[in-house]
Amino acid sequence: MMKMFRRAIGLAAIVVATAATAQPYPAKPLRLVLPYAPGGVVDFIGRTLGQRLSEQLGQPVVADNRPGAGGIIGVEATAKSAPDGYTLVLMDPAIVINPVLQDGVPYDVIKDLQAVSIVGSSPLVLASYPALPVKSVAELVAYARANPGKLNFASAGIGTTPHMAGELLKLRIGAQMAHVPYKGMGPAMADLVSGRVQFSFGSITAALPFLQDGRLRGLATTGAKRSGALPDLPTVIEAGLPGFEVDLWLGLFGPTGLPPRVLARLNAETKKAIAHPDARAAFAKVGVEPRATGPEDAAAFVRAENEKWTKVVRDAKLKGAS
């Protein structure tokens, strides 16, 4: 009798699990975590992508800004969520930079997160407060060398791509400059416009309105080629620093363990969303080049980026840099 009872319980569990697995996806709203404050490229592209996915999936995709700790708070929330496809995060290279740059980061980018797709790539823009007496990268370098410790540069937070770009500039030119981290590029731009900090590497999304109305001065962009959004600005390479290239790529992730059918659906719908003319126009407006990779290619890319930034941080001895 006991054996029959146990067998019945086991069969019931299998039926429940099978029924859950067979549920149509998505059956409820999705949460898209954006680990920075509103006003930056992650927020803009995330909301653009979320709107397209909402229409395609027939369920709301709720944008959830979770700023703090250079993106760690939002990424951790996703990594620790149920692997059911209802919590995703859009993140930039800080997702692989933070674990090697800082101690105690509560996630492993390879073990705890599953890449759905690399959504796009964008250069950063190097911009300065107009009252700073520099009009080019060369003049900024000369000023920094002549005034050690007097320049402050803003970023979206410790471990973010703008932070790393500033640290790499310090290393390349051998000048002392102070890093001032913020909870996203929106707050960073506000202090840059007011002159509380003197320059920043930031997303084109956050800087573009201030560059257009003259409240900031654009000096260069960080791509291998000029940005379509700012074609009149030289690259940092063109401006005299060979090999200085920083890519602000954007990736869509879920927690490890997403069911294969859910992962495949999310990837297919992401590709479809990015291919839509409205999305491509929105991407182009802020200088983001669409990519839309498959999950396998995305995972391989993330592993390569993890190795790349691990080497940069260790070689430059940036552990704990702020």
Side-chain angles (χ1 to χ4, degrees):
M1 180 68 69
M2 183 59 70
K3 288 183 178 179
M4 292 179 63
F5 180 69
R6 288 174 178 169
R7 184 178 300 173
I9 292 176
L11 289 172
I14 291 172
V15 169
V16 171
T18 302
T21 303
Q23 279 188 339
Y25 173 83
K28 62 182 182 179
L30 283 71
R31 179 171 65 132
L32 178 57
V33 178
L34 307 174
Y36 300 114
V41 66
V42 172
D43 180 70
F44 180 86
I45 295 299
R47 291 176 184 277
T48 299
L49 180 62
Q51 180 181 354
R52 294 302 319 157
L53 290 175
S54 293
E55 295 176 9
Q56 293 168 198
L57 293 171
Q59 290 285 354
V61 177
V62 181
D64 181 10
N65 289 93
R66 299 287 294 272
I72 292 174
I73 291 174
V75 175
E76 180 189 10
T78 304
K80 293 183 177 179
S81 66
D84 53 13
Y86 289 100
T87 300
L88 304 169
V89 63
L90 186 72
M91 190 53 176
D92 61 17
I95 199 168
V96 300
I97 296 168
N98 277 321
V100 67
L101 185 66
Q102 303 185 63
D103 292 321
V105 173
Y107 68 84
D108 184 307
V109 69
I110 305 301
K111 296 179 181 178
D112 299 332
L113 293 155
Q114 190 156 17
V116 175
S117 179
I118 302 303
V119 172
S121 293
S122 174
L124 299 175
V125 57
L126 172 57
S128 67
Y129 179 57
L132 188 70
V134 302
K135 295 183 179 180
S136 67
V137 173
E139 290 182 3
L140 177 65
V141 171
Y143 186 91
R145 287 172 172 165
N147 298 274
K150 291 186 179 180
L151 283 180
N152 298 323
F153 72 92
S155 84
I158 296 172
T160 60
T161 316
H163 170 209
M164 294 299 291
E167 295 289 352
L168 289 174
L169 179 64
K170 285 170 58 178
L171 291 167
R172 285 292 303 272
I173 69 175
Q176 290 300 314
M177 298 176 283
H179 171 226
V180 183
Y182 292 83
K183 292 183 178 181
M185 283 312 304
M189 287 293 109
D191 270 11
L192 181 56
V193 167
S194 70
R196 293 188 180 93
V197 289
Q198 288 77 52
F199 77 95
S200 177
F201 287 94
S203 66
I204 291 175
T205 313
L208 192 57
F210 305 110
L211 295 171
Q212 291 173 332
D213 65 15
R215 284 184 286 171
L216 291 180
R217 175 180 291 132
L219 302 180
T221 54
T222 65
K225 59 182 181 180
R226 293 195 180 198
S227 168
L230 294 167
D232 294 333
L233 288 186
T235 66
V236 177
I237 296 171
E238 287 179 300
L241 292 178
F244 194 103
E245 181 180 349
V246 179
D247 179 14
L248 183 64
W249 55 266
L250 302 171
L252 185 66
F253 298 83
T256 293
L258 291 175
R261 67 183 181 87
V262 172
L263 177 60
R265 178 78 189 278
L266 284 170
N267 181 261
E269 296 294 346
T270 299
K271 287 181 176 178
K272 181 180 177 181
I274 294 172
H276 193 280
D278 290 349
R280 297 184 75 87
F283 277 40
K285 182 180 179 181
V286 294
V288 175
E289 181 177 346
R291 291 182 61 177
T293 67
E296 297 81 7
D297 288 342
F301 176 81
V302 170
R303 287 193 297 271
E305 282 288 293
N306 184 56
E307 293 173 3
K308 166 189 168 182
W309 285 110
T310 295
K311 187 176 187 304
V312 168
V313 170
R314 288 177 179 171
D315 288 354
K317 299 179 181 179
L318 293 178
K319 186 74 172 181
S322 60

